Amino acid sequence: MDQNEGKQWRMVWYDWLIFLLPSLFFISLGLESALGSPLRPDGTQYHDFRAIAHWFDPVFFQYNLVMSLLVVMVVPSLALSYTLIMTDRKERRLQHEVPAERRGEIRRRMGRRASFGEYRGSVWLTTTVVMLGVSILLLFKPVSSPGGMGVDFSLGANMLTMGPFAELYGKNPDSYYSHLIRNQIAFQFGFLGAYVYFIGSVVRAYFTLDLTSLTFVDGAIRMIVASILALVLSFAFDLALPEELISAPAASDTRGGDSIKSSSTIEPKSDTPASTARAGEDAQGNSKRHPNEIESTIPAGLSMLPVVAFFFGFYPKRASLAIERVALKVMKNIMSEGSYRALPLSMLAGMSYSHELRLEREGFDNIENLSSADAVDLAVRTYFSYGQLKQWIDQAWLAAHLREDYPDFVRRTGIGSSDELQRFLSTCDGAKIDGVEQLVAGLSADPTASASWKLRLTALKILLNIGPAPGEDCRNLAETGHEPG
């Protein structure tokens, strides 16, 4: 209990600003919405953030403010709670798992992680990104004319938002605004998907004792990258649906042309009763069809844009991998397929996609890298237990030496790690049995393949420091391979 109280006051006074500043911003907007006037004393509109408070219905706007504040405060609140409560639990677990000679290292390293200062930079970064994203999602309202209450995009937008459609500014205001709205929708729902994934990963890391500063940095980068990917997707979406892009202008032009044509046609015959009746029926029919015509100008295919953008935000890595695969197919004549020969982590038993992502975040993205890792170091930095990490590292060591033959070796012998191979060979030596010959007999009946397996297994036996006289074994092996003729 005393240890927790001591950790509470490791948070210096300026760290509380991460809670104070966003709260003051949203509370001030709420007070402005409830008590302020939408106009200045001189009758003009505000040109700062106070204008946001008067763009919506007050009750609706204050509800959005509460949601925005909760969304932002999740980030520093989880970091503070983790440093006060969960770090002690992780330290106690590791003290029971790691060898006794390394428990002092656990205590020293976990002591540094039990302070909010360890998370300061990453929490500030993530909180800022979340605050900017949720403001665009819930508080900003785009308008296309100067007289509207919202962000006046009739003044133009930046190149990031519009891309090649920036040339429509001043030429076709309706199409310009239509492209702007679509790109903003993709950007916002890309951020929303990344934020939902981030919350899930943070909650998982919290309860699995794995909430580090890298978790917040990874979340901030994910939200930025996912939003940009979804924005780029919106331009490709426009390319995939070219006929729907012109549906609105075409419909308006058709209606305009029809009205002009009908008026010019009907006007000379307006003096006859029949033509007058037909004109009345046409006018009545047009008034009835008008709502449907307006609805038909909204492209049906664009309803998938938020869904696809949300997917890009929730799975930006898979989306970027899909883009990378397409690019590699295009560039297959430039890059050879055998340029990279690293073994994937998926070869290891018990490895899942989420486990691969977590180890990749720590810099271990293939078997060769993991084979040289320190299990205690990774146990402190991740949520994996010491025993699980030790098993994976031993498996990675054996897989790195056997390469593509590792799955077949495991399937035929049941030995999956260097520790298991060492115990098998040591037990065979104690029983005066040639363990290498036993393994070779189970692996292959072909004499050529058996000789290769015998050489490789003997080398592994030497590397594992098994056997009193490795020099004699090597000599015998060389003699069997080079018998005098």
Side-chain angles (χ1 to χ4, degrees), residues 441-456:
L443 287 169
S444 177
D446 180 48
T448 304
S450 298
S452 175
W453 273 113
K454 186 173 183 180
L455 177 61
R456 298 169 72 182

Side-chain angles (χ1 to χ4, degrees), residues 8-268:
Q8 181 179 1
W9 297 110
R10 292 184 192 180
M11 189 170 175
V12 294
W13 66 269
Y14 49 80
D15 283 335
W16 293 102
L17 293 176
I18 194 66
F19 296 92
L20 182 61
L21 294 181
S23 301
L24 288 178
F25 175 73
F26 290 117
I27 292 174
S28 62
L29 286 179
L31 294 176
E32 175 68 25
S33 173
L35 305 176
S37 172
L39 300 176
R40 293 178 176 178
D42 58 359
T44 60
Q45 295 183 359
Y46 290 105
H47 297 287
D48 51 30
F49 280 101
R50 287 175 292 180
I52 303 176
H54 306 288
W55 289 348
F56 303 92
D57 176 79
V59 177
F60 177 73
F61 179 74
Q62 292 162 22
Y63 177 77
N64 283 343
L65 285 180
V66 174
M67 286 198 301
S68 302
L69 183 60
L70 291 176
V71 167
V72 174
M73 287 294 101
V74 164
V75 178
S77 299
L78 284 176
L80 178 61
S81 175
Y82 185 82
T83 57
L84 295 179
I85 301 173
M86 307 304 287
T87 51
D88 283 340
R89 297 184 183 180
K90 183 170 185 176
E91 182 176 349
R92 289 195 297 268
R93 190 195 74 180
L94 291 176
Q95 290 291 347
H96 287 86
E97 293 178 352
V98 302
E101 62 271 13
R102 302 196 64 177
R103 290 176 182 172
E105 179 183 350
I106 296 295
R107 189 177 301 108
R108 182 176 63 257
R109 297 186 61 178
M110 289 302 300
R112 294 196 301 266
R113 291 176 175 268
S115 172
F116 189 83
E118 181 76 12
Y119 300 84
R120 183 181 300 125
S122 59
V123 169
W124 270 103
L125 171 65
T126 309
T127 303
T128 303
V129 171
V130 172
M131 189 170 178
L132 293 175
V134 76
S135 297
I136 297 176
L137 189 64
L138 296 179
L139 304 183
F140 284 10
K141 182 177 73 172
V143 295
S144 59
S145 60
M149 297 291 290
V151 182
D152 183 11
F153 283 105
S154 64
L155 300 176
N158 54 35
M159 293 299 297
L160 175 65
T161 307
M162 294 304 301
F165 302 112
E167 65 176 352
L168 296 175
Y169 180 73
K171 298 179 180 179
N172 192 337
D174 293 336
S175 296
Y176 182 86
Y177 183 72
S178 177
H179 285 293
L180 173 68
I181 292 299
R182 294 167 186 174
N183 296 344
Q184 280 198 339
I185 288 174
F187 186 86
Q188 293 168 2
F189 278 84
F191 166 81
L192 182 61
Y195 178 80
V196 172
Y197 183 92
F198 166 71
I199 291 299
S201 64
V202 168
V203 172
R204 173 184 170 87
Y206 182 91
F207 288 106
T208 56
L209 308 179
D210 188 35
L211 190 60
T212 66
S213 59
L214 295 179
T215 308
F216 294 100
V217 174
D218 180 74
I221 295 176
R222 175 182 289 270
M223 284 181 273
I224 295 173
V225 172
S227 301
I228 295 176
L229 276 177
L231 180 60
V232 174
L233 165 72
S234 65
F235 297 112
F237 206 88
D238 291 341
L239 181 64
L241 300 172
E243 70 281 356
E244 294 191 346
L245 297 178
I246 60 175
S247 60
S252 61
D253 292 343
T254 302
R255 288 194 305 269
D258 290 344
S259 61
I260 295 174
K261 183 178 179 181
S262 61
S263 61
S264 61
T265 305
I266 294 173
E267 185 176 357

Side-chain angles (χ1 to χ4, degrees), residues 397-412:
W397 186 91
L398 184 59
H401 286 83
L402 295 180
R403 306 298 298 174
E404 288 78 7
D405 294 326
Y406 173 74
D408 186 61
F409 178 82
V410 176
R411 181 174 57 85
R412 292 178 179 271

